[in-house]
Amino acid sequence: MREERAVPAEIPDTGSVPFFSQARTFDRLWPSISARVEEVFDNGKFSHGRQVAELERQLAEYTGARFAVGVNSGTDALVLLLRAAGLRPGDEVVVPAYSFVATATSVVLAGGRPVFADIDPATYALDPAEVDRVAGPRTRFAMPAHLFWQMADMAALGEVAERRGLTVVEDSAEGIGMRQGGVHAGRHGAGGVLSFFPSKTLGALGDAGAVLTDDARIAELVSGLRHHGRFGRTLDHFPGIATETGLAGTNSKMDDIQAAVLLAKLTCLDADIARRAELAAAYTDRLTGVPGVVRLPQVVDRGPGSAAVFYVYLIEVEHRDELVDHLARNGIGTETYYPVPLHLQPCFAGHRHVLGDFPRAEAAAGRAVALPLYPDLTLDQVERVCSVVREFLTGRCA
C-alpha cells in the first residue's frame, strides 16, 4: 500500500514544466483508488464488472443522460455510437476538418464516409453554415467535435440538421462538464461520447470511454455491440460468455481497474474544472498583448446554463514551430493540435482535397499550440511558461 503524503497547494517551481502530469493527484487520491482496486480483486471480475456498472450510474447522474455505457476507449465509443444510431455502409457524415483523426476514422470504421467541413475560428468547432454547404444527397449525419474548452453551436447545428434531415451525434470526447443551454455535451442529438484518456479532464490510467444517450434503443445496441454483440445480462455476469450473440459486435468492454480510478477521480471533478479555469485565467492575464500572439481562447456566450471547461489552453502564435522548440529547450512541454488538418491527412488522400479547401482549419493547424494545463500545475509554473513565451515572441516579433 502506498503511503499518503501531504502535498502543498502551491509549490514554487522554476524548473521544467511537463505538458501533463497527475502525480500529485494520485498521491492525494491513492487511499480511495487503492480501496476501489482492492474491491475489483475481491470480486474477481476485471472487466465489465461492478465498478463499471457504478461508473455508468454516476456518469449518467453527473451528465443528466438517461444512459451512460462504458467502453474501452473514446474512439470505440464513436464507432459503436454511429453503428447504433443507424449509420449504413456508404452513408456520409459531416465532420470538422480540424480535429483529432479519430473524429473521421471512426466514421470509416463504422462503415461510413466522412465529409469534411470548415470550422468556426472562435471555438474551433464545426461551423453549422459549412454543414449546410457540404451536405449532399447521401449525407445522413453531422458530427461536431467539442474541442479544447467549448462546445459547437448546437442550436444552430440542430436547425441545419432538422432542415436537411440529418442525425446529430457528438464527438464530445473532451466535453465532460461542458454544457449549453443547461444540457450537457453529448445530449443534444442522438448521443455523444466521453474519452477518459489519461490527460482528459477526467482521465483514467489508460484508455477508457463511454457513450451518452437518452435513447433506450441506442443504449441497448451499444451495450450489446461492446460485448461481441451479446445482449441480455452481461455486465458483472460471470457466465456471460454463453449469452446468445445477436449481431456482429466487438470486444470493447471497459476494464474495472480503469473504472475504479475514474470513480475516485470523479469525486473531485468539479474542483478540478474550477482549478483549470483559474489556471486558464492566469494564462490569459499574462499573455494578453504579447507580440506574436494571434489568438487567445475565446468563450462564446451561448446563453443561460452554458459552461465552458478548459481541457486544453490553446493559443495561436506566429512562428509556432520555433516557439515549440524554444519551449522544449527550456524544459517546457507543449502539444501541437493538429498540424495536419484532417482533409490533408494521407489516409484521406482519396478525397482529393488540396491546401486551401478549408482555410480556417488550415490556419489553426499552422498556428495553434497548447500550453501545459492540468490541476497539478502551479501558478508559479504558469508564470514560468508565460515568461519563456514572452521572451521568445517579443524578441522574434520585434
Side-chain angles (χ1 to χ4, degrees):
M1 181 75 67
R2 193 173 175 185
E3 184 179 350
E4 184 179 5
R5 297 196 296 270
V7 180
E10 291 288 349
I11 301 175
D13 189 345
T14 57
S16 64
V17 183
F19 179 69
F20 173 74
S21 172
Q22 54 183 345
R24 293 172 64 222
T25 291
F26 275 100
D27 275 337
R28 178 168 49 86
L29 293 179
W30 186 249
S32 175
I33 292 171
S34 62
R36 286 194 171 275
V37 170
E38 285 174 5
E39 289 179 18
V40 176
F41 280 85
D42 289 343
N43 187 39
K45 195 171 193 308
F46 295 93
S47 70
H48 209 58
R50 294 175 189 172
Q51 301 281 343
V52 174
E54 177 61 17
L55 178 65
E56 290 179 342
R57 185 191 70 78
Q58 291 198 27
L59 286 173
E61 181 179 346
Y62 184 86
T63 62
R66 286 185 65 199
F67 307 97
V69 184
V71 296
N72 75 358
S73 71
T75 301
D76 269 14
L78 285 172
V79 174
L80 300 185
L81 172 59
L82 285 163
R83 288 186 61 184
L87 182 72
R88 303 169 304 197
D91 282 347
E92 292 180 347
V93 182
V94 180
V95 299
Y98 184 72
S99 183
F100 182 57
V101 70
T103 302
T105 54
S106 63
V107 175
V108 176
L109 292 170
R113 183 178 187 275
V115 173
F116 300 109
D118 217 340
I119 60 170
D120 172 1
T123 63
Y124 300 96
L126 188 62
D127 183 342
E130 283 291 291
V131 175
D132 203 14
R133 183 179 70 84
V134 304
R138 299 191 64 182
T139 307
R140 292 190 61 237
F141 288 81
M143 187 163 73
H146 308 315
L147 293 183
F148 309 136
W149 61 84
Q150 188 168 10
M151 294 170 59
D153 185 346
M154 296 307 297
L157 185 59
E159 291 175 3
V160 172
E162 184 176 5
R163 186 172 67 254
R164 301 300 295 265
L166 307 179
T167 298
V168 175
V169 294
E170 297 170 67
D171 181 352
S172 44
E174 301 177 4
I176 194 161
M178 296 182 190
R179 289 176 171 82
Q180 197 167 116
V183 180
H184 194 280
R187 297 187 53 228
H188 292 257
V193 306
L194 297 173
S195 170
F196 304 118
F197 184 75
S199 65
K200 291 291 192 288
T201 306
L202 178 63
L205 281 173
D207 285 314
V211 171
L212 303 176
T213 185
D214 294 332
D215 188 313
R217 178 58 175 164
I218 289 176
E220 179 186 30
L221 286 171
V222 172
S223 296
L225 287 167
R226 68 175 168 176
H227 198 288
H228 299 284
R230 294 185 170 99
F231 293 90
R233 185 185 173 197
T234 59
L235 196 61
D236 198 33
H237 183 49
F238 282 88
I241 192 78
T243 305
E244 187 176 65
T245 301
L247 74 166
T250 188
N251 181 14
S252 187
K253 303 185 297 295
M254 182 188 285
D255 290 342
D256 269 50
I257 297 294
Q258 303 300 348
V261 171
L262 291 167
L263 282 164
K265 295 182 72 178
L266 192 56
T267 62
C268 57
L269 176 59
D270 286 338
D272 285 350
I273 288 172
R275 175 61 172 173
R276 287 172 175 272
E278 177 187 9
L279 294 166
Y283 269 124
T284 297
D285 180 63
R286 289 159 174 78
L287 293 176
T288 297
V290 173
V293 175
V294 177
R295 186 186 298 275
L296 294 173
Q298 304 174 37
V299 176
V300 178
D301 184 4
R302 299 293 189 205
S306 299
V309 173
F310 274 90
Y311 162 55
V312 166
Y313 191 87
L314 191 86
I315 64 175
E316 291 186 41
V317 295
E318 298 175 7
H319 315 294
R320 190 266 315 277
D321 295 341
E322 294 93 331
L323 173 61
V324 167
D325 290 342
H326 180 74
L327 288 165
R329 287 193 297 271
N330 282 271
I332 296 170
T334 59
E335 185 64 59
T336 302
Y337 293 92
Y338 301 96
V340 180
L342 294 183
H343 63 290
L344 299 179
Q345 290 283 355
C347 61
F348 296 119
H351 288 238
R352 301 187 182 280
H353 284 295
V354 296
L355 190 66
D357 282 354
F358 304 107
R360 285 171 279 174
E362 292 162 11
R367 298 189 306 221
V369 60
L371 304 177
L373 184 76
Y374 43 90
D376 288 358
L377 195 70
T378 70
L379 291 174
D380 287 321
Q381 288 175 313
V382 170
E383 176 55 43
R384 169 159 170 73
V385 173
C386 293
S387 176
V388 176
V389 170
R390 287 194 301 265
E391 172 191 68
F392 174 82
L393 289 178
T394 301
R396 191 70 173 80
C397 300

